[in-house]
Amino acid sequence: MLHDASGRTITSLRISLTDRCNLRCRYCMPEDGVHFLEHAEILRYEEIERLIWVAAQIGVTKIRLTGGEPLLRRDVAAFIERSVHIPNIQTVALTTNGLLLPELALPLRRAGLSYLNVSLDTLHPRKFEEITRFPALQTVLQGIRAAQQAGFPALKVNVVAIRGFNDDELFEFAEFAHAENVELRFIEYMPFHGNGWNPNGFLSSDELKARLMERFELHPCKNAPSAAAKTFEISGRRGRIGFISAVSHSFCGDCNRLRLTADGFLRPCLHDNIEIDVKHPLRRGASDDELIALFQEAANRKPDVHRDFLTSTEPDSADGRAMVKIGG
Ligand code: SAM
Ligand code: SF4
């Protein structure tokens, strides 16, 4: 098993398949864009599979595929089909902006993908275009329906809550969760390199919950300790509401994750720039034991807790990566 210095057990690996994206969300991509990785810099599928295989030997049971936009990676369904058969891997999940789900939802489900999360920050076409810089709301809604029809259980919809942008849609989101029978999770807006972090746009989960409770009765669900979201049922309605409070209530103590960037670095923490190169050792022919040692190093260097973004005078790191280049 892979334990870190604080005794946390690592069971989950988030893998960025690409840093490319077909949207340009303002809270994720810097205003002046990003320099995308060259093809040769990105881990090949067989390299990622080797790393999953190694991680699975030391206790990783769950992988989540992300990016950039993971569905832009060619032949992603075939890669998932191979990944689900790696011994000890119990769950393969994926986070997507949903644009390619109308055509890919069914192949992904048939490939054995366990769970899907779709990101959607507004239910209004004009605002969708404002935040993502593309007029594509209808395609994402079609994608969510395609995922339902493909039979994905417990479909989750991620909403980054931003004061002054989508906090006038809270009741609409709750109605959407009921109408589509999905778990709609509000993610607290977080600072990343170049994303124009402005603490005034921050909206805490506590405030969101209090505002929703002005109209709806929320009943807490039982959540696993390592679950990022605290979820609630809405009285008399289908679907669920969840809150991911990485800023206001850090859940570092229960964090069971490592991240693998598209260019082959293990990141022990989303909010810390520590990175361990696994690509070059892999390409130089590292043995399984050498790769296991790199996973252990990543676990050893996992910070106990990330800094407090709301009070920190240095909320953004000049040499850090933009979110799109880490993998959310
Ligand atoms: N492209 C895919 C998508 O949008 O779902 C996967 C990658 S995206 C980086 C993963 C998640 O990170 C999305 O749910 C997105 O909303 C979230 N995210 C990106 N920037 C964020 C920020 N500044 N604060 C909070 N969540 C953020
Ligand atoms: Fe692309 Fe997802 Fe980032 Fe939006 S949040 S720019 S869809 S990677």
Side-chain angles (χ1 to χ4, degrees):
M1 295 298 269
L2 191 56
H3 299 291
D4 72 7
S6 316
R8 293 171 294 192
T9 306
I10 308 298
T11 56
S12 169
L13 182 63
R14 294 200 177 202
I15 301 172
S16 173
L17 291 184
T18 176
D19 63 338
R20 291 178 190 252
C21 192
N22 42 7
L23 293 180
R24 294 281 180 276
C25 301
R26 290 175 191 276
Y27 50 73
C28 181
M29 287 243 193
E31 190 75 39
D32 48 359
V34 289
H35 167 74
F36 291 115
L37 294 165
E38 299 294 331
H39 188 67
E41 293 177 77
I42 293 184
L43 289 179
R44 296 189 295 275
Y45 278 144
E46 60 266 31
E47 293 173 327
I48 300 174
E49 285 162 38
R50 169 104 189 275
L51 291 171
I52 298 173
W53 191 88
V54 166
Q57 302 305 302
I58 48 175
V60 167
T61 56
K62 173 178 178 179
I63 59 175
R64 173 170 296 281
L65 306 173
T66 180
E69 175 45 45
L71 298 187
L72 285 178
R73 185 91 188 238
R74 194 176 301 164
D75 299 329
V76 65
F79 163 72
I80 288 169
E81 192 163 4
R82 294 190 298 276
S83 300
V84 298
H85 290 109
I86 293 175
N88 298 339
I89 294 299
Q90 294 164 9
T91 308
V92 180
L94 182 141
T95 302
T96 171
N97 62 28
L99 277 188
L100 294 174
L101 281 180
E103 56 263 37
L104 285 181
L106 196 55
L108 290 172
R109 187 68 184 143
R110 287 190 175 143
L113 185 69
S114 325
Y115 298 109
L116 256 184
N117 290 11
V118 184
S119 302
L120 174 63
D121 303 313
T122 173
L123 298 169
H124 295 269
R126 186 191 52 75
K127 286 168 73 178
F128 186 94
E129 186 169 355
E130 182 189 330
I131 197 88
T132 67
R133 301 174 169 117
F134 283 86
L137 174 63
Q138 288 312 321
T139 313
V140 177
L141 294 174
Q142 283 165 17
I144 290 173
R145 285 178 198 133
Q148 303 275 42
Q149 280 162 14
F152 279 101
L155 196 67
K156 296 184 177 115
V157 173
N158 291 346
V159 177
V160 179
I162 304 177
R163 190 186 298 283
F165 173 69
N166 55 9
D167 54 335
D168 56 342
E169 295 182 53
L170 302 188
F171 299 146
E172 269 178 86
F173 282 130
E175 296 296 358
F176 181 82
H178 166 70
E180 302 294 331
N181 196 16
V182 294
E183 180 177 314
L184 188 135
R185 296 126 49 96
F186 293 104
I187 306 180
E188 287 180 346
Y189 168 43
M190 298 179 278
F192 290 101
H193 176 68
N195 79 344
W197 160 252
N198 175 357
N200 296 332
F202 175 74
L203 189 53
S204 74
S205 296
D206 287 347
E207 181 178 339
L208 283 167
K209 197 166 129 209
R211 282 168 66 177
L212 280 163
M213 286 172 73
E214 287 167 16
R215 182 167 305 178
F216 303 105
E217 222 177 285
L218 300 183
H219 301 285
C221 306
K222 271 205 175 126
N223 298 124
S226 62
K230 299 280 170 269
T231 54
F232 294 80
E233 279 178 350
I234 319 166
S235 198
R237 287 178 152 74
R238 300 186 308 165
R240 286 182 176 186
I241 298 287
F243 301 94
I244 302 183
S245 321
V247 176
S248 64
H249 298 90
S250 120
F251 37 82
C252 303
D254 293 314
C255 183
N256 62 353
R257 302 173 197 113
L258 295 178
R259 288 181 152 76
L260 177 65
T261 64
D263 52 345
F265 289 83
L266 283 172
R267 268 183 86 108
C269 173
L270 177 60
H271 300 293
D272 195 298
N273 292 327
I274 298 169
E275 298 191 342
I276 290 98
D277 179 8
V278 283
K279 177 175 66 184
H280 294 100
L282 189 64
R283 289 185 178 174
R284 283 196 297 269
S287 66
D288 290 349
D289 283 347
E290 284 165 328
L291 294 173
I292 286 173
L294 293 172
F295 274 97
Q296 187 60 62
E297 181 186 346
N300 291 346
R301 295 177 67 191
K302 198 169 162 60
D304 284 349
V305 65
H306 65 66
R307 68 187 178 284
D308 181 340
F309 306 120
L310 296 174
T311 56
S312 171
T313 50
E314 225 182 307
D316 197 1
S317 162
D319 62 350
R321 291 180 186 242
M323 174 58 138
V324 69
K325 293 182 81 77
I326 302 173

